[in-house]
Amino acid sequence: MRILLVAALLAAPTLLVDAASGQSLSDRIAGVAAQRQQARAAGQARLLGALVQGRVTADFNETPARDAFEFLQASLGVPIVVRYDTDRNATSGIDPDAPITIEADRMLALDLLKLMLAQCESFEPSTWQLREGYIEVGTKERLSVPAARELRMYPVRDLLFDPPMFDNAPDFNLADSIQQGGGYGGGGGGGGVPFGEAGEAPERRSEEEKVQDLVDLI
C-alpha cells in the first residue's frame, strides 16, 4: 500500500504538467487576460460602490480643494487621485487652492464630489472617472489624454441587420378577375389570374453605408 501511495505522489506532478501543457500559449494568455479583467472589474465595482452608496458629513468653509479632496478620500476609504494644475508638466488641472464651501449632512459621496467639482471649475469643466485601483479627478482635458482612455470592442453586426422590405408585391385586381371568370356563381370558365407582375426589388444599402451610418450615429 505504501509503495502504491508513493508511486501516486510521484506521478501527480507529471499529470499536472501534462494538463498544463495541453493548453496552447494563446489559451494561457487569454486565461490570464480574463483573470485580470475580472480583478479589474471587481476593483472598479468597489470604487463605484463607495461613491454611490457611501455617505459623507462635511463642513467646508472656504476650504482649499486639496484639503477637501483629502478629507473625502479619508471618509470613503478609497484612493482618490486629483490632477492639479501645479503637477509637474501639467498643462491643465484643478487649482489646489480653489475655495470650496459646502455643508453636507450624510450626503451621497457622488453628489458631494459633483458639488466639489462644480466649485473647482474656473475656466474649464472638471469631472471624475474610474481608473485601475483609484478614482481620478481633474479637468476634462486632463482626464481625456490617451493614457487614460480605455479601448473596448463590442460586436455590432446585429445593428447592421437590414430587415426584409416587402413593398414589391404584385398588384391584385379583384374586379378584373371577376370579369374574366364570369362573375360569381358556378358554371363559369376558368378565371384569369388576379395578380400582376411583381415590382422591382427595393434598393438596399451596402455594408459600407450601414457601417458609416453607425459611425456617424456614435
Side-chain angles (χ1 to χ4, degrees):
M1 181 63 68
R2 294 181 179 177
I3 296 176
L4 293 177
L5 180 59
V6 172
L9 292 175
L10 291 176
T14 305
L15 294 176
L16 293 176
V17 172
D18 291 342
S21 61
Q23 291 183 328
S24 64
L25 179 59
S26 59
D27 291 338
R28 297 181 191 177
I29 294 175
V32 172
Q35 291 177 356
R36 291 189 60 185
Q37 182 64 26
Q38 291 176 356
R40 184 174 182 274
Q44 289 192 341
R46 173 175 171 268
L47 296 174
L48 185 60
L51 286 176
V52 300
Q53 296 179 359
R55 292 186 175 274
V56 180
T57 298
D59 186 9
F60 299 140
N61 185 13
E62 300 292 316
T63 304
R66 188 188 299 274
D67 296 339
F69 283 115
E70 289 179 354
F71 175 83
L72 180 61
Q73 175 179 246
S75 299
L76 294 180
V78 294
I80 299 178
V81 177
V82 185
R83 305 302 183 184
Y84 295 109
D85 57 9
T86 55
D87 295 340
R88 183 178 180 182
N89 299 326
T91 57
S92 67
I94 291 177
D95 180 3
D97 297 320
I100 295 180
T101 301
I102 299 174
E103 185 175 347
D105 182 16
R106 290 188 53 78
M107 181 181 293
L108 283 176
L110 181 56
D111 294 338
L112 178 58
L113 176 59
K114 291 179 179 179
L115 292 177
M116 294 169 61
L117 289 174
Q119 296 191 22
C120 288
E121 295 177 351
S122 53
F123 301 103
E124 53 184 329
S126 300
T127 187
W128 63 275
Q129 64 187 9
L130 299 179
R131 294 294 296 273
E132 190 166 358
Y134 59 90
I135 300 171
E136 186 177 33
V137 176
T139 59
K140 288 187 175 181
E141 178 184 351
R142 183 79 176 272
L143 268 57
S144 63
V145 295
R149 297 173 189 170
E150 181 179 346
L151 177 63
R152 295 189 181 185
M153 301 184 67
Y154 297 95
V156 297
R157 184 161 296 277
D158 290 347
L159 301 178
L160 304 179
F161 174 71
D162 222 350
M165 300 173 60
F166 301 103
D167 60 351
N168 62 332
D171 295 331
F172 177 79
N173 194 321
L174 181 60
D176 289 347
S177 176
I178 293 175
Q179 291 177 2
Q180 295 177 11
Y184 292 106
V193 178
F195 296 100
E197 296 293 334
E200 295 183 359
E203 184 178 354
R204 314 286 276 187
R205 294 177 304 162
S206 66
E207 191 81 3
E208 290 76 13
E209 291 174 330
K210 290 185 287 185
V211 169
Q212 188 59 49
D213 290 344
L214 181 59
V215 171
D216 294 339
L217 179 62
I218 295 175

